[in-house]
Amino acid sequence: VEPTNEQRNMREEWLWACLVALRCANSALVRTYFNPDEYWQSIEVAHRLVFGVGHLTWEWDEQIRGWAHPLLFAAVMKLLQLVRCDTALLVIWAPRILQAAFAALGDLYVYKLARRWAGPAVANFVLLCQLFSWFTFFTSVRTLSNSLETVLTVVSLYYWDLPGLPNSTVPNSRRKAILFSSVAVIMRPTSGVIWALVCFLHLYRLKSLRASAKFIFCELLPLGLAVVAASTVVDRWCFGEWTFVPLNFVKHNVVHSVGSFYGTQPWHWYFTQGFPAMVGSYIIFMVLGAWKSKSYVWAAIILWVNFVYSALAHKEFRFVLPVLPLAVMYTGYYLHHVLVTSPARSKFYGYITGLVVFFIFVLQLLPMLYFSMFHQAAPIDVMTFLRTTTEPVATDVAFLTPCHSTPYHAYVHRTTNEQPITMKFLDCSPSDDPQHVEEAEQFKADPRLFTDAYFDAGHHPTHIVLFDNHQRVLAPTLAAHGYSQCASFLHDPLQRRRLVVMCSSKSRND
C-alpha cells in the first residue's frame, strides 16, 4: 500500500532528524584541514562581520565573493553574541552544526531523488552509498561554499523534470527547481555550468515551442533575476557600494584565470585523477550502474561538468563536488541490482559478490577515516593550542607557513573580557606587477633572510608557527631571539611532517 503524503512527510522528517545526528557525529570526526576557503571565505568573514575581528582576503577587495554564504554563519554567530553565549567553542561549533544540518538535507534529497528516479528499494541503497562515500563524509560538513552548492544542486534536481524521470507530483516543482538553482549560482557562479545543461534537457523534454517560451519568460527569467537582485542588494549593503559579484567572479577566475596563480593541472586531470579519486572504490559500480539503468541523464551531467571545468587551468577536487551524488546514485542502483535483483547463480557466486561489496565499502572507510582524522590535523591542533595556552598567553602570533595554512581569528575567538590577539601570516595575494614577489615566496626562497628582516623590523611575537623543516633551518636565529619549542603537532603521518609552535622566553617571563 502506497503511503499517504502525510505519512511520507512524517517519515522524511524522522529520516532528516536521524541524518542530522549522523552528520553532527561526522562533523565531530572531521578534525583535519582540507582547503583554506573552508575558513577564510566563510567563518572568518562571518567573524569579522559580527565581532569586528577577522581577515578579509584579496578576493573581498576585488569583490569576487558574495556575502550570501558567510551571512548564514554570521547569523548564528550574531545569535550567540545576542544571548551572550559567544564562547570560543560555540563560535567554532555553531557554524559546523549548521553545515551538518545542510549536509543532512542534501542526504535526504539524494534519497528522494533516487526514489523518484528508480523507486524506494533502490533509494535505500543509494542512501547507504551516500553515507559511506568517503569524499562526501570528508567534505559535506565543512563550511565550504561548494558543500552548500552540492546540497542546493541535489535539492534542485529533485524538482526538475528531466529525461528519464517521471513527472514531478510536487506542486510548483518547476519554480522550486529554478529557485534552488538560482541560489546555487549565487553561492558559486560556476554552478551555472550545471544549470545550463539542465535547462537544455528540460527544454528538450518540453518540446513545444510555446511551452518552452512560457518556461523561459514566465518562470526562469523572473525567478532567476529576483534571486540575483536580492543577492545584489545584500552585496550592496555589505560592500557599501553597488557591484555585481557573479560578473566579477567570472572576469577574474575565467577570463583572466587568476586561479592559475595557485597552481595548474593538465586538461585531463578531472577524468584521470580528480573525479576518480573522489568516487574511489565506487567507480566500477558507478559505470556498471549507468550501463544497467539505461538512464544516462546523470552521466550526461557528470561528463558535462568535468568536461567544462577541464577547460580551466586551475583545478580542484571541490569544484566538481556537486556531481558526486550523481555518481553515488548509479553506485546504489548497481548495488541493489547485484544484491537484490540479480539472482545468485551459485553459492560461490554469492560469496564472491558479497566479498566484492564488502571490500568496496572498506575501501571507502579507510580514506574516510584517514583524511578526516589524521591527514593535516596539525592546523586545527595548533589553533586549539593558541586559543587555550596560558604559558605564555598567545597575544601576538606569526605564522611562517605557506599562506592560509591554518584557520585564523574565527578559531581563536576572544570575547571582550579576554586579552585580544594579533596575528600575522605570510601574504600571497596575486599582483599585476610582474616584479612583485609575495611574502610567502620570499620566505620559501630564503627563510633566514626573511626572518632576520622580520626581527630587524622590531617584531617579536609571543608565538611563531612554522613547519619542522623550516624550524630546523631557523633554529639558531630563533634561539638567538629567545624562542624555544613549546608545542609540536603531527601534520602528515606518512611523511612524518610536523607543525611546530615556538614560544618567546621573554613572554614567558612576563
Side-chain angles (χ1 to χ4, degrees):
V1 178
E2 281 291 320
T4 64
N5 287 336
E6 185 178 350
Q7 290 173 327
R8 180 172 287 177
N9 290 338
M10 186 174 295
R11 290 178 185 177
E12 289 176 358
E13 289 171 2
W14 275 104
L15 177 58
W16 182 67
C18 293
L19 290 170
V20 169
L22 284 173
R23 287 306 178 192
C24 284
N26 179 175
S27 186
L29 289 173
V30 173
R31 303 198 298 263
T32 54
Y33 194 89
F34 170 50
N35 187 279
D37 281 14
E38 178 185 353
Y39 310 97
W40 293 79
Q41 306 298 346
S42 57
I43 57 173
E44 185 70 13
V45 180
H47 192 272
R48 180 185 176 98
L49 188 64
V50 175
F51 302 106
V53 179
H55 181 84
L56 296 183
T57 60
W58 66 271
E59 289 96 333
W60 297 92
D61 294 330
E62 298 294 333
Q63 298 178 351
I64 66 173
R65 300 282 185 178
W67 287 87
H69 183 241
L71 276 175
L72 295 171
F73 305 117
V76 295
M77 290 183 184
K78 187 64 179 179
L79 180 61
L80 292 174
Q81 185 188 52
L82 290 174
V83 298
R84 298 182 180 179
C85 292
D86 56 320
T87 62
L89 281 178
L90 285 178
V91 167
I92 291 170
W93 274 100
R96 298 190 65 170
I97 293 171
L98 177 62
Q99 181 58 43
F102 287 145
L105 184 65
D107 296 334
L108 175 63
Y109 271 85
V110 167
Y111 170 80
K112 293 176 68 171
L113 180 60
R115 186 179 64 196
R116 181 185 167 197
W117 173 56
V122 170
N124 292 331
F125 282 88
V126 169
L127 180 59
L128 178 67
C129 293
Q130 171 76 358
L131 295 177
F132 272 87
S133 168
W134 86 267
F135 201 78
T136 300
F137 186 94
F138 179 60
T139 57
S140 66
V141 294
R142 297 181 183 271
T143 53
L144 288 161
S145 60
N146 311 85
S147 300
L148 185 54
E149 177 196 6
T150 303
V151 174
L152 292 167
T153 298
V154 174
V155 173
S156 181
L157 285 173
Y158 171 71
Y159 292 112
W160 280 103
D161 285 331
L162 297 173
L165 271 70
N167 288 331
S168 175
T169 59
V170 179
N172 299 314
S173 64
R174 195 157 65 183
R175 293 179 181 179
K176 292 177 181 178
I178 295 170
L179 178 64
F180 285 112
S181 301
S182 302
V183 175
V185 173
I186 291 303
M187 295 296 167
R188 293 283 304 178
T190 48
S191 184
V193 172
I194 297 175
W195 305 120
L197 177 62
V198 168
C199 286
F200 173 80
L201 292 173
H202 183 72
L203 288 170
Y204 174 80
R205 178 164 174 161
L206 290 176
K207 294 183 179 178
S208 165
L209 183 61
R210 182 177 180 179
S212 299
K214 181 181 178 182
F215 163 68
I216 294 172
F217 295 106
C218 297
E219 294 178 301
L220 180 62
L221 289 178
L223 284 172
L225 291 175
V227 171
V228 171
S231 174
T232 303
V233 170
V234 169
D235 290 334
R236 165 67 179 83
W237 172 58
C238 294
F239 281 121
E241 62 183 19
W242 290 107
T243 188
F244 192 55
V245 170
L247 180 62
N248 299 338
F249 184 94
V250 172
K251 182 176 70 174
H252 279 78
N253 288 302
V254 179
V255 178
H256 298 308
S257 194
V258 176
S260 300
F261 180 80
Y262 297 104
T264 60
Q265 291 78 27
W267 69 268
H268 55 77
W269 185 83
Y270 281 122
F271 292 99
T272 58
Q273 299 175 57
F275 199 66
M278 294 165 63
V279 177
S281 60
Y282 285 170
I283 194 162
I284 297 176
F285 273 22
M286 176 195 74
V287 174
L288 293 174
W291 166 72
K292 193 68 181 178
S293 69
K294 295 181 172 60
S295 176
Y296 305 115
V297 62
W298 312 133
I301 296 173
I302 292 170
L303 291 172
W304 166 256
V305 168
N306 280 274
F307 177 77
V308 173
Y309 278 124
S310 294
L312 301 175
H314 179 63
K315 301 175 179 66
E316 295 186 33
F317 294 104
R318 61 191 178 98
F319 291 168
V320 294
L321 181 61
V323 295
L324 180 59
L326 305 184
V328 171
M329 299 263 287
Y330 283 132
T331 304
Y333 185 95
Y334 196 75
L335 185 63
H336 173 265
H337 170 72
V338 298
L339 294 181
V340 178
T341 306
S342 178
R345 298 183 181 90
S346 64
K347 287 185 178 181
F348 178 74
Y349 176 83
Y351 173 77
I352 293 299
T353 301
L355 196 62
V356 169
V357 171
F358 172 76
F359 276 108
I360 282 176
F361 282 110
V362 167
L363 292 175
Q364 291 288 325
L365 280 171
L366 291 178
M368 176 193 295
L369 296 176
Y370 174 72
F371 286 104
S372 297
M373 301 179 67
F374 304 107
H375 182 70
Q376 297 187 171
I380 311 302
D381 295 335
V382 161
M383 301 312 288
T384 302
F385 173 82
L386 294 174
R387 186 176 69 248
T388 58
T389 184
T390 57
E391 294 185 5
V393 174
T395 57
D396 188 1
V397 183
F399 293 89
L400 300 184
T401 60
C403 64
H404 311 139
S405 290
T406 67
Y408 214 49
H409 284 284
Y411 261 57
V412 287
H413 173 74
R414 298 278 171 91
T415 63
T416 53
N417 298 325
E418 295 176 302
Q419 194 169 1
I421 184 171
T422 301
M423 296 195 288
K424 156 73 178 174
F425 69 94
L426 302 179
D427 185 57
C428 59
S429 303
S431 172
D432 294 331
D433 182 4
Q435 303 301 319
H436 173 76
V437 180
E438 67 274 8
E439 290 179 333
E441 286 299 318
Q442 293 178 33
F443 178 76
K444 181 180 178 181
D446 196 331
R448 292 193 187 90
L449 181 64
F450 184 92
T451 307
D452 287 339
Y454 179 74
F455 284 128
D456 290 344
H459 301 294
H460 197 92
T462 57
H463 296 75
I464 295 177
V465 179
L466 70 171
F467 282 103
D468 54 354
N469 60 320
H470 287 137
Q471 181 216 16
R472 291 189 289 270
V473 172
L474 296 173
T477 302
L478 295 173
H481 287 85
Y483 287 90
S484 59
Q485 180 177 314
C486 54
S488 175
F489 303 96
L490 185 62
H491 182 67
D492 187 337
L494 298 181
Q495 298 183 3
R496 308 302 298 173
R497 292 185 67 201
R498 305 188 73 85
L499 194 56
V500 179
V501 183
M502 307 294 290
C503 295
S504 168
S505 57
K506 179 181 178 181
S507 301
R508 283 177 173 174
N509 295 333
D510 292 343

